[in-house]
Amino acid sequence: MTARHLPLVDEGALPYEHPLYETLLSIPGLSVVTAPLDALLTWGTKNALWVFPMATSCCGIELMAAAASRVDLDRMGTIIRATPRQGDVMVVAGTITVKMAPRVKLLWDQMPEPKWCIAMGSCAISGDFYRDLYPVVPGVDTFMPVDVYIPGCPPNPEALMHGLLRLQEKIGLRREGKLTQAEYRPGLLDLTKPRVGRLGDVTRDAGLSDAQLEDVSDMTRRDLAEESSEIVPRAEPVREAIASSSQEIEALLRDDFGVTEFPKDAAPLVSRGDHRRLAHRLRALGYAQLIYVVATHFPAKKTDPERFEVAYALRSIGRKSTVVAWRVALAADETIASIVGVFAGADWQEREQFDLVGVRFEGHPDLRRILLPADWSGHPLRKDYAADTAHPPWR
Amino acid sequence: MNELVHGALYGTLIATAILSTIAMGIWFERKFAGRMQQRLGPTIVGPAGLLQPFADIIKLLQKEDIVPRDADRGLFDLAPILAVVCSLGVAAVIPFSPSIIASDLDVGVLWVLGIGGLMVIPTFAAGWGSNNKFALLGAMRAIAQSVSYGVPLVLAVLVPVVLSGSLSISGIVAWQAQHHWFAVWPIVPGLPAFVIFFLAMLAESNRIPFDIPEAESELVAGITTEYTGAKFTLFYMAEYVHTLVGSALGAALFFGGWDGPFAPGLHWMVLKTLTLFVLIYWVRWSLLRFRADQLMRLCWTWLTPIGVALLLVSAAWVTFGGTN
Amino acid sequence: MEITVEVQSATRGSVDPHLSIHAYEAEGDLMLLHFGPQHPSTHGVFRMDLHLDGETIVKATPYIGYLHRGVEKLCEKLTYVQQTPIVDKNDYVAPMTNEQALNMAFEKLLNIEVPRRARYLRTIFAELQRVASHLVWLAAQSIDLGGALGGGSTLFLHCLRERELIMDLFEEVSGARFHYNTHTIGGNRHDLPDGWSKRAQAAISQIESRLSEYEDLSLGNQIFVDRMKGVGVLSAALALELGISGPVLRGSGVDHDLRRDAPYHAYDELEVQVAVEQGGDCLARAKVRFREIRESLRLARVAIDGIPEGPICSFKPTRQPTQVKLTGGQAYAALESPRGELGTFVIAGGDTPTSPYRLKIRAPSLHALAAIPYIVPGANVSDAVAILGSLDPIMGEVDR
């Protein structure tokens, strides 16, 4: 069943955890009783692997599909339990990010022994093509032990079932104290060698596991500190009107907002002071939906100083829907007026741009990080931010 | 025979029978659910997956026993044991045949309602003792639900009591054997009372559509969120025991218990009990779950008034005519 | 003590999201429930902090970012051609529409015309994908309402069974079950295999015939209706203001669908009937999605019958990653994904002409989730689960 070219390894005998049984084992001459009992206990353990799904992304959908009619994990007695206390196998299905990793570790620690972990899919194994990106943990075996790796993006439901069968085989062998087949670990490949090192890697920093545990225990305090208590004002009421054609918009921009240039391949630039007023006007003209707020960073070059550009777009609703877009140029130290008061949807959009690019929105009632953890430093979508920035102790 | 010895002997016998039945019940439920969902259910462990529940239990007994750091240790440990005791205790007064009964109590119905009502204590102890917010919410819901649904349950159970004039369950069954089953005649208080009893029993044993105390999609695993291994096994078993004993009670109170032609009484009792048992799972795997307020509305605006009316109808039946 | 919180339990209308909860003594009166990020009903890794008064939610604070994978940064590093398989993973319930939205933006930037056959293929894929995605929504919604160990899972598994039919069709085309990578700049990579149309029609008929069963099981089920009716009411004005689009917006009574209002692919040749429901509650959203499944099946059927002959790509797709070079320009292209307006905003240029300078994915789920602080307070915990399910968020595209 497994790839036979992999070497046999000694993972250590799997102990029987129950104190009563340990006592029984310590009585000499009882092997007559314990040998068949061993077989029975092993049989029970192997055939009732309940899954605790650590489903974060795409692989989670395939995990669902594996429980569904076509594959039906219940055939081999595998059911999915939502609480870690009743799981035997944690199936890590999906990308684990720096923000999620302490929670995964905590949930793993909450599972009762004996427990196993299956890394399902290339994200859980090595981080896949996200592995060199700032928020992604390059494989869950950098902070918790993995028993079976199931490659794929995502693995088919059949592959998950194969993984569970391999785990059953492994459990049996380990209970008998025999050698098991080595896993085809990503650590064998230089390509996927993460900065923090995988568990069992000799070059791994000895203090790292402690640092990770410390981070886990600090998590709840950080969560509570993240809470915002500010009041966001509701959007101001705006006169409703019917949408207009783009020539009208051009005329509006030219006459009321002093825009002279209308480039063919980009939205017109609006001055920083006028931009909130423009949003207001457009909303009154029927552009009822905020489509995006995108900030872009332009680092300093030989002649140009560092600058930002924030692009906005609004859409009119209903038949012949049109989009109107504009841009605002900012110097490195300038802020831009928030349009949360005009469009409540700008709340998260502006927070995201603040988080990723670092543009400050003046008048935003609650300008906090939204995607990255609160204690993150730097703004990753700036051009001078290295994509593979480290974030100890997780990557 | 000394009543104590008789009770111990038959009690052990009945408890053993119930516990082995629920092992098969778990297997049956999984197969049954599988068939309803276009899949197979357990097939690999043992012939047709028959050994699956045993593998589950053997595995669960080997798991590490975790007690959360801030849990109330005493309550946390006591709750699963109490749950099994309370759910099994009800079985003591249920006659499985004219002779197979652990204790033929004169006030059997009161015993059933009392012990059944005590089930709320282990549930709340588990929720409170776990020191987990999901478990606490589950426990809160369980209390509200048990207290409310206790009322229609009592009202429904009182209908056969009034009709037969006996508080002993074997007395009720014997009365039905001589006359007719209550679910069949008198059909007006009888059958509706059974429906109310069935719904209230589903609520008391936390079965869909009334399973809000353990609502997996909302409260993770409700009161059992923090339980591992052996203690979870006890809860798991108590749930099935409760359902099975509830089915047996329904069969005895409304369907004439062991009464039936051709076959010995025990066969009929088992058949009727298992039919109700299957019905519960049929409902479970077909319906969605109520919200807490809808559950209460159903109880107080429908089941309870109807229950009172049925009680009055049965009193009238007994007083002015009927077969008494 | 004066309680300033106004909980509209009867109407469950929109409540101010950033309520002052200081009127409650923080420790004594309210319970803070961390709902997620790992919870069976959060549809991925999403966290809500619920302040509970008994079981009534007084304040709901959503937290996202647990699946933030830095896709936009990655797209800046990769070339235009390499990005299709990356964005597949954003909305992982509807990968086809992700690819289309991305490539549409690049096509706009390059000003290339997509061949008519490719436009038809894209339409068919998008519509079938919408059906598959809405089936996953129904599956998840029924689990939310009925639990994984009950009637909910029965409906869940039935829905997934039909979804497999669509995945099989896509697998035949692209070779992949899940992340297809079948679209490219200027058209599609893979043409339909022989007899695909016939098998697709058969699958559509099968789904159509079973759909009424699901309707009976959900909309015909009194418990389902009771749980969804009047829960999570989102007014049209609030929905528009938050930038919500797709079935959630149409469930609030706004007649807006990009397929009809700003046609792309082959939608200008097909007549799209837009499903709009009044009410703005979970039930209205559910009805919209059911009607959309039917409409999508009809559109797919018409489109399959009308596939024209011709090339499927305006130029030969190669494995050369640096095939496309651009020196400047900005573009925004949007389509109606199963969840709403999925758009890609791209700025070309910079130091490397083969990769975009800045790329932003406009994810409809992000906007839908922003409604949570407005519509969840006043509901109870069971309702919160139903509301979250009816918004149908996919955390992959929320966090990117």
Side-chain angles (χ1 to χ4, degrees):
Chain A
M1 195 187 320
T2 48
R4 293 292 168 200
H5 62 275
L6 291 169
L8 292 174
V9 290
D10 183 10
E11 287 189 80
L14 189 65
Y16 296 93
E17 292 288 334
H18 209 277
L20 270 180
Y21 195 74
E22 299 277 292
T23 324
L24 200 65
L25 280 180
S26 62
I27 302 170
L30 262 187
S31 61
V32 188
V33 183
T34 53
L37 199 55
D38 271 359
L40 185 70
L41 293 180
T42 308
W43 170 83
T45 310
K46 266 167 64 174
N47 286 302
L49 293 174
W50 291 2
V51 165
F52 172 63
M54 195 62 234
T56 61
S57 54
C58 336
C59 291
I61 306 287
E62 288 296 66
L63 180 59
M64 270 169 28
S69 315
R70 199 179 272 191
V71 176
D72 188 16
L73 289 180
D74 195 23
R75 279 189 293 160
M76 51 190 286
T78 294
I79 52 177
I80 293 177
R81 294 296 304 183
T83 160
R85 300 287 194 207
Q86 287 145 24
D88 305 302
V89 191
M90 180 190 260
V91 176
V92 184
T95 321
I96 302 300
T97 61
V98 166
K99 199 170 176 179
M100 194 63 198
R103 289 158 175 91
V104 180
K105 174 83 173 148
L106 181 68
L107 287 164
W108 170 252
D109 291 343
Q110 282 176 341
M111 283 171 67
E113 293 280 354
K115 59 187 174 189
W116 298 273
C117 175
I118 291 182
M120 177 185 181
S122 40
C123 284
I125 294 173
S126 68
D128 201 7
F129 43 61
Y130 306 109
R131 67 180 164 266
D132 292 331
L133 285 168
Y134 58 95
V136 174
V137 172
V140 288
D141 55 2
T142 54
F143 60 90
M144 57 188 256
V146 174
D147 294 278
V148 172
Y149 297 81
I150 309 174
C153 184
N156 285 356
E158 294 86 347
L160 177 61
M161 191 154 201
H162 176 223
L164 281 164
L165 290 171
R166 257 172 70 205
L167 182 61
Q168 286 192 345
E169 190 182 282
K170 248 183 154 167
I171 292 169
L173 289 170
R174 286 184 62 192
R175 272 280 165 91
E176 290 164 30
K178 289 182 182 160
L179 299 180
T180 56
Q181 205 114 49
E183 281 296 314
Y184 198 66
R185 288 181 61 170
L188 302 173
L189 303 168
D190 280 346
L191 178 72
T192 59
K193 203 165 181 142
R195 185 185 279 109
V196 292
R198 301 188 185 281
L199 293 177
D201 185 349
V202 281
T203 58
R204 187 181 152 99
D205 177 9
L208 189 62
S209 299
D210 292 340
Q212 288 176 342
L213 268 182
E214 212 169 284
D215 196 64
V216 171
S217 63
D218 199 31
M219 190 175 66
T220 318
R221 190 193 55 74
R222 284 202 312 268
D223 276 2
L224 291 172
E226 224 182 312
E227 172 82 14
S228 122
S229 57
E230 296 300 318
I231 314 283
V232 174
R234 290 295 299 278
E236 300 148 27
V238 182
R239 188 174 55 83
E240 300 293 329
I242 310 300
S244 52
S245 73
S246 67
Q247 272 163 0
E248 253 176 87
I249 301 294
E250 241 174 61
L252 172 86
L253 286 173
R254 194 175 296 120
D255 299 343
D256 288 11
F257 296 91
V259 178
T260 49
E261 273 182 71
F262 290 96
K264 275 220 158 61
D265 58 348
L269 276 169
V270 174
S271 82
R272 197 164 69 93
D274 281 342
H275 124 87
R276 194 167 189 277
R277 194 161 60 87
L278 175 65
H280 236 286
R281 280 292 289 279
L282 287 171
R283 197 187 148 166
L285 284 173
Y287 289 90
Q289 217 176 22
L290 177 72
I291 298 298
Y292 58 72
V293 178
V294 186
T296 315
H297 177 235
F298 295 91
K301 288 211 174 127
K302 273 165 255 162
T303 51
D304 307 336
E306 184 184 12
R307 67 192 172 92
F308 292 98
E309 224 177 70
V310 188
Y312 289 85
L314 304 179
R315 183 183 277 288
S316 66
I317 296 300
R319 283 165 203 275
K320 302 254 177 324
S321 167
T322 49
V323 173
V324 53
W326 74 92
R327 288 180 297 155
V328 181
L330 297 176
D333 53 346
E334 278 180 331
T335 62
I336 182 169
S338 161
I339 58 166
V340 171
V342 190
F343 291 97
D347 183 353
W348 282 18
Q349 293 280 308
E350 288 176 356
R351 271 177 71 190
E352 184 190 319
Q353 297 311 313
F354 163 71
D355 188 2
L356 298 180
V357 187
V359 173
R360 297 201 70 88
F361 292 87
E362 197 71 39
H364 189 290
D366 189 20
L367 201 60
R368 293 176 286 130
R369 287 191 180 274
I370 183 167
L371 292 176
L372 293 167
D375 57 351
W376 195 274
S377 63
H379 301 283
L381 284 189
R382 288 196 180 190
K383 289 290 165 182
D384 49 10
Y385 189 95
D388 59 347
T389 303
H391 188 84
W394 300 105
R395 62 159 283 120
Chain B
M1 205 192 303
N2 186 333
E3 255 182 48
L4 216 56
V5 177
H6 177 272
L9 202 66
Y10 276 84
T12 318
L13 198 75
I14 291 171
T16 317
I18 287 176
L19 291 178
S20 14
T21 312
I22 60 152
M24 286 299 96
I26 293 171
W27 170 83
F28 173 80
E29 188 195 356
R30 285 171 77 165
K31 290 299 263 192
F32 183 70
R35 293 302 153 116
M36 282 184 74
Q37 298 172 346
Q38 308 272 319
R39 53 188 184 86
L40 295 170
T43 56
I44 294 174
V45 188
L50 264 172
L51 297 180
Q52 189 60 55
F54 299 101
D56 282 349
I57 288 169
I58 291 172
K59 185 239 14 194
L60 281 168
L61 292 179
Q62 291 176 73
K63 295 293 277 187
E64 183 188 3
D65 179 35
I66 297 179
V67 181
R69 189 183 53 216
D70 296 329
D72 188 328
R73 181 82 205 225
L75 287 181
F76 189 81
D77 290 351
L78 192 64
I81 300 166
L82 266 185
V84 174
V85 168
C86 289
S87 48
L88 268 179
V90 175
V93 294
I94 295 178
F96 287 85
S97 85
S99 55
I100 303 176
I101 176 167
S103 170
D104 190 3
L105 224 55
D106 290 340
V107 288
V109 170
L110 291 185
W111 168 266
V112 164
L113 294 174
I115 296 289
L118 279 184
M119 257 312 270
V120 76
I121 290 177
T123 309
F124 192 71
W128 181 260
S130 297
N131 191 32
N132 177 306
K133 286 173 182 171
F134 289 110
L136 183 64
L137 275 177
M140 272 161 49
R141 289 173 169 199
I143 295 260
Q145 182 176 325
S146 294
V147 169
S148 307
Y149 275 82
V151 178
L153 184 72
V154 170
L155 291 171
V157 169
L158 279 182
V159 169
V161 169
V162 170
L163 288 176
S164 66
S166 167
L167 267 176
S168 146
I169 293 179
S170 54
I172 293 174
V173 174
W175 198 93
Q176 291 184 78
Q178 280 163 21
H179 298 84
H180 26 67
W181 303 351
F182 289 138
V184 181
W185 190 258
I187 199 140
V188 170
L191 195 61
F194 167 69
V195 173
I196 291 180
F197 170 83
F198 186 72
L199 292 178
M201 200 224 351
L202 283 182
E204 293 275 310
S205 55
N206 300 335
R207 286 301 184 187
I208 278 181
F210 306 105
D211 73 331
I212 55 164
E214 47 180 83
E216 319 87 46
S217 57
E218 296 151 27
L219 304 180
V220 185
I223 52 162
T224 58
T225 303
E226 292 285 354
Y227 281 93
T228 63
K231 288 175 196 160
F232 171 70
T233 317
L234 290 179
F235 269 116
Y236 194 53
M237 273 163 39
E239 201 179 281
Y240 283 89
V241 170
H242 202 142
T243 318
L244 187 68
V245 171
S247 311
L249 192 64
L253 288 179
F254 294 93
F255 288 95
W258 39 258
D259 178 42
F262 315 127
L266 184 63
H267 292 201
W268 278 107
M269 183 63 187
V270 168
L271 182 72
K272 287 171 188 173
T273 304
L274 291 184
T275 309
L276 286 183
F277 193 63
V278 172
L279 187 62
I280 290 173
Y281 289 108
W282 195 359
V283 170
R284 179 181 183 183
W285 292 95
S286 320
L287 289 185
L288 304 173
R289 173 187 302 129
F290 279 117
R291 201 173 55 210
D293 57 323
Q294 293 164 346
L295 201 88
M296 292 302 154
R297 199 174 309 135
L298 178 71
C299 175
W300 293 109
T301 62
W302 291 102
L303 298 186
T304 307
I306 294 176
V308 173
L310 291 176
L311 194 57
L312 292 176
V313 169
S314 42
W317 178 277
V318 173
T319 317
F320 311 105
T323 41
N324 263 6
Chain C
M1 184 183 61
E2 192 193 0
I3 294 174
T4 57
V5 179
E6 188 192 338
V7 178
Q8 306 175 350
S9 53
T11 57
R12 296 177 196 271
S14 71
V15 179
D16 200 301
H18 302 272
L19 294 162
S20 169
I21 59 162
H22 303 299
Y24 287 94
E25 282 170 18
E27 285 299 308
D29 295 347
L30 291 182
M31 181 163 95
L32 174 60
L33 185 71
H34 287 293
F35 199 82
Q38 172 61 32
H39 184 282
S41 299
T42 48
H43 295 241
V45 279
F46 169 66
R47 175 176 139 221
M48 277 191 284
D49 278 5
L50 303 177
H51 288 266
L52 301 177
D53 177 12
E55 239 196 80
T56 308
I57 297 163
V58 173
K59 180 181 175 185
T61 319
Y63 292 90
I64 59 174
Y66 293 96
L67 193 55
H68 176 60
R69 307 188 265 202
V71 171
E72 286 167 11
K73 188 84 176 176
L74 183 60
C75 287
E76 288 172 14
K77 287 170 70 185
L78 298 177
T79 69
Y80 290 104
V81 183
Q82 285 175 325
Q83 287 174 11
T84 310
I86 308 292
V87 295
D88 261 342
K89 280 90 180 166
N90 285 346
D91 178 352
Y92 42 76
V93 175
M96 282 286 187
T97 45
N98 291 326
E99 300 180 358
Q100 291 172 359
L102 181 87
N103 286 311
M104 274 165 66
F106 294 162
E107 283 151 12
K108 229 176 178 176
L109 209 53
L110 288 159
N111 202 10
I112 348 177
E113 186 75 9
V114 179
R116 190 149 169 267
R117 184 178 173 84
R119 286 194 285 126
Y120 262 82
L121 293 189
R122 287 183 179 189
T123 309
I124 296 164
F125 294 159
E127 290 308 320
L128 289 177
Q129 187 72 80
R130 191 183 317 278
V131 175
S133 171
H134 283 353
L135 284 173
V136 172
W137 156 77
L138 179 60
Q141 180 86 64
S142 58
I143 280 264
D144 291 346
L145 296 182
L149 298 174
S153 68
T154 305
L155 189 49
F156 170 83
L157 293 184
H158 281 76
C159 290
L160 287 190
R161 180 188 62 183
E162 258 59 77
R163 178 172 169 269
E164 292 281 336
L165 295 175
I166 292 171
M167 293 179 79
D168 284 349
L169 290 176
F170 288 165
E171 189 171 357
E172 272 188 63
V173 174
S174 68
R177 214 179 109 79
F178 213 95
H179 296 318
Y180 307 109
N181 192 13
T182 187
H183 296 87
T184 185
I185 298 166
N188 282 27
R189 279 180 195 278
H190 312 104
D191 207 341
L192 300 180
D194 288 344
W196 188 88
S197 309
K198 216 172 140 196
R199 288 191 289 280
Q201 294 282 21
I204 289 171
S205 305
Q206 195 171 354
I207 297 170
E208 243 166 14
S209 69
R210 283 176 178 163
L211 196 61
S212 46
E213 278 179 36
Y214 303 153
E215 225 156 352
D216 288 348
L217 273 168
S218 52
L219 295 179
N221 180 340
Q222 193 57 41
I223 299 180
F224 186 91
V225 174
D226 283 353
R227 286 289 307 274
M228 304 280 273
K229 200 171 187 172
V231 171
V233 176
L234 179 65
S235 69
L238 182 63
L240 282 175
E241 209 182 290
L242 289 170
I244 292 172
S245 47
V248 182
L249 182 67
R250 290 191 283 276
S252 292
V254 180
D255 190 6
H256 178 68
D257 190 324
L258 292 185
R259 289 178 292 168
R260 185 199 62 194
D261 300 333
Y264 51 94
H265 296 349
Y267 287 111
D268 44 359
E269 298 173 30
L270 306 164
E271 190 124 331
V272 183
Q273 299 293 325
V274 179
V276 183
E277 292 281 343
Q278 304 298 326
D281 54 359
C282 295
L283 187 65
R285 281 165 229 152
K287 283 183 182 163
V288 166
R289 291 199 177 96
F290 264 108
R291 283 171 61 189
E292 280 189 21
I293 296 178
R294 289 197 190 284
E295 176 65 9
S296 291
L297 290 172
R298 187 188 71 80
L299 285 174
R301 178 164 277 169
V302 173
I304 290 170
D305 284 338
I307 301 179
E309 290 299 318
I312 55 161
C313 194
S314 55
F315 58 90
K316 195 167 174 287
T318 59
R319 286 173 190 280
Q320 178 68 23
T322 54
Q323 196 182 10
V324 176
K325 288 196 178 74
L326 277 164
T327 49
Q330 301 185 0
Y332 174 73
L335 54 74
E336 186 78 21
S337 93
R339 266 152 272 282
E341 176 171 354
L342 176 64
T344 309
F345 175 71
V346 55
I347 300 179
D351 302 331
T352 47
T354 52
S355 55
Y357 187 77
R358 172 86 164 91
L359 189 133
K360 149 98 182 172
I361 291 154
R362 194 259 182 210
S365 294
L366 179 77
H367 293 259
L369 278 185
I372 286 210
Y374 296 87
I375 61 176
V376 167
N380 63 26
V381 176
S382 314
D383 288 339
V385 170
I387 293 170
L388 189 57
S390 78
L391 296 177
D392 193 19
I394 295 299
M395 296 320 287
E397 71 169 12
V398 173
D399 297 339
R400 300 178 302 275

